[in-house]
Every structure is written in structure tokens, then in C-alpha cells.
Amino acid sequence: AQTVTQSQPEMSVQEAETVTLSCTYDTSESDYYLFWYKQPPSRQMILVIRQEAYKQQNATENRFSVNFQKAAKSFSLKISDSQLGDAAMYFCACGGGADGLTFGKGTHLIIQP
Amino acid sequence: DAGVTQSPTHLIKTRGQQVTLRCSPISGHKSVSWYQQVLGQGPQFIFQYYEKEERGRGNFPDRFSARQFPNYSSELNVNALLLGDSALYLCASRHSGKNEQYFGPGTRLTVT
């Protein structure tokens, strides 16, 4: 069984600034993957970034990067140079096996112009 | 390449009725998963199918069933609908050997 906790229901950041979204997880699996998904008002879930738990190096995708602390079971998302199009719900997820993905409750990110 | 497609986009049903939702995965993807997303919550895992066999099931009642066809498309069936089944139903596909799942636009089901 897995649990994912996102403790920030809502975050607000000025355009062009940097924001970090928090996520903690718990899993009994030794081999697992972590993901951040973005869900804009259109409701389509978009994969932002993924991290293999066996890799120590933090994943990076353009303006998006993660801080993966395996011992602390923490997986935060940093968005640099925030843009208006980044406004959305962001979901942290854990999984990779036949049990599917376990999602957190999400963080609503507001970008202030 | 086309992404994951789902049909219908919206659906309104009455309590007690049955519903079938459809999903076509990305070309080359053999694994399909179904999720239920209630308003204000993250998606919850319902089923995972790979090569036409059920490989995983979430904590949902037997009223929920699914199947995968030889072309890897999938259907989710829900019987005896309850008001609480009102949600966005998301389908996701995954390539063999990869772990990231790609989601479709969802089917919004309203039960009245």
C-alpha cells in the first residue's frame, strides 16, 4: 500500500519567480517511481516529470526540477521562472507496478501577473 | 501521434442504471489503467490491464468491471449506479517497459 501527502492545498507565486510544491510519500515497495502531474482547468492530466527511486540524481525537465530525498520520503517540485500557463492543479503520484498510481490530493498553483 | 482518447466526453445517468466508458490507448501502448477522480480529490486507481488481462485492481466494489480488447482498447463498466459514482473517469496508457502513464481527457459522469 502507498500513501501520498501534499500538505499545501494552494500556493501562489509571482510570474517569473520560483515556487516549490511539497510532497511526502510512503510505500512498502523497494522499486517504485514518483511523478508530478499537472491538471489545468481542461482536466487533462499532463505528465510534468518523473523520478526513478533507485536513481540518486534529481530529475530535471526544462524549468521543472525535483528534490528527491529518499530517506525522508520527500519528493518536492520546483518550478523556476513561473509562467501564467503553469497555473493548474499539481498532483504528486507514487507507483509503477500493477497497483497503479497513488495520487495526493493536489496543490492548486496560482500565478500572479 | 494521437494521444489517449476517451468516449463519451460527458454522460448523465440515473441511479440504478449501467454505464460503459471507452478508452483507446496511445499506439504501441499495451497497458491501460482506469482512475476515478471525484471533485477536489486526486485520481483513485480502479483497474490496470495489460495484454488483455487484469493485472491490478483498486479498492472498488464489484459493480465496477473492465476489459481490454485485442487492439488494446478498453471498456469500463459500472452497474447499479450510485450518486457517489459521479466523477471524472480517467484512462491512462503505458508503454511496455516504461512506467510513466499518459492520460486521456476523461469522461465526466453525472449520476442523478
Side-chain angles (χ1 to χ4, degrees):
Chain A
Q2 295 157 341
T3 59
V4 176
T5 302
Q6 294 180 250
S7 58
Q8 305 154 317
E10 186 172 278
M11 291 285 285
S12 181
V13 63
Q14 294 281 347
E15 195 176 1
E17 297 291 305
T18 296
V19 64
T20 299
L21 308 184
S22 301
C23 171
T24 58
Y25 65 93
D26 196 11
T27 179
S28 56
E29 302 292 329
S30 56
D31 185 20
Y32 58 93
Y33 295 76
L34 297 162
F35 306 88
W36 279 97
Y37 281 89
K38 168 185 176 182
Q39 189 176 43
S42 67
R43 305 306 303 272
Q44 175 112 31
M45 296 284 282
I46 301 166
L47 177 64
V48 175
I49 198 165
R50 68 168 226 168
Q51 173 81 41
E52 294 92 335
Y54 62 85
K55 286 188 177 179
Q56 290 187 337
Q57 186 173 4
N58 290 324
T60 299
E61 288 286 344
N62 301 314
R63 297 182 295 108
F64 299 88
S65 61
V66 299
N67 183 5
F68 174 45
Q69 302 289 328
K70 190 172 184 177
K73 295 184 177 177
S74 170
F75 183 61
S76 61
L77 175 69
K78 185 172 83 171
I79 306 174
S80 303
D81 186 25
S82 297
Q83 300 175 0
L84 294 177
D86 295 333
M89 285 293 291
Y90 284 81
F91 291 95
C92 177
C94 177
D99 290 335
L101 297 177
T102 299
F103 286 82
K105 291 187 175 182
T107 296
H108 181 211
L109 178 63
I110 298 168
I111 310 295
Q112 305 212 358
Chain B
D1 285 344
V4 177
T5 59
Q6 292 185 243
S7 62
T9 304
H10 296 93
L11 206 51
I12 299 175
K13 290 286 188 178
T14 304
R15 274 178 299 176
Q17 286 188 317
Q18 175 264 341
V19 69
T20 299
L21 310 181
R22 295 176 176 82
C23 170
S24 291
I26 292 171
S27 177
H29 288 196
K30 299 180 179 179
S31 174
V32 168
S33 297
W34 287 95
Y35 293 83
Q36 180 196 65
Q37 186 178 21
V38 174
L39 194 62
Q41 301 290 321
Q44 277 198 294
F45 172 67
I46 309 175
F47 286 110
Q48 181 177 129
Y49 275 78
Y50 177 72
E51 288 282 13
K52 302 178 287 294
E53 291 188 5
E54 181 182 310
R55 296 303 179 99
R57 182 182 183 122
N59 188 23
F60 280 80
D62 292 342
R63 299 185 296 108
F64 288 77
S65 63
R67 55 180 175 168
Q68 188 176 31
F69 298 98
N71 66 353
Y72 304 110
S73 67
S74 177
E75 286 182 351
L76 175 70
N77 295 284
V78 187
N79 294 322
L81 285 167
L82 304 174
L83 294 179
D85 294 332
S86 295
L88 180 70
Y89 287 84
L90 295 166
C91 174
S93 75
R94 178 174 63 85
H95 191 280
S96 306
K98 302 280 188 180
N99 283 279
E100 54 267 32
Q101 297 188 19
Y102 295 92
F103 285 81
T107 292
R108 178 163 298 286
L109 172 65
T110 301
V111 182
T112 62

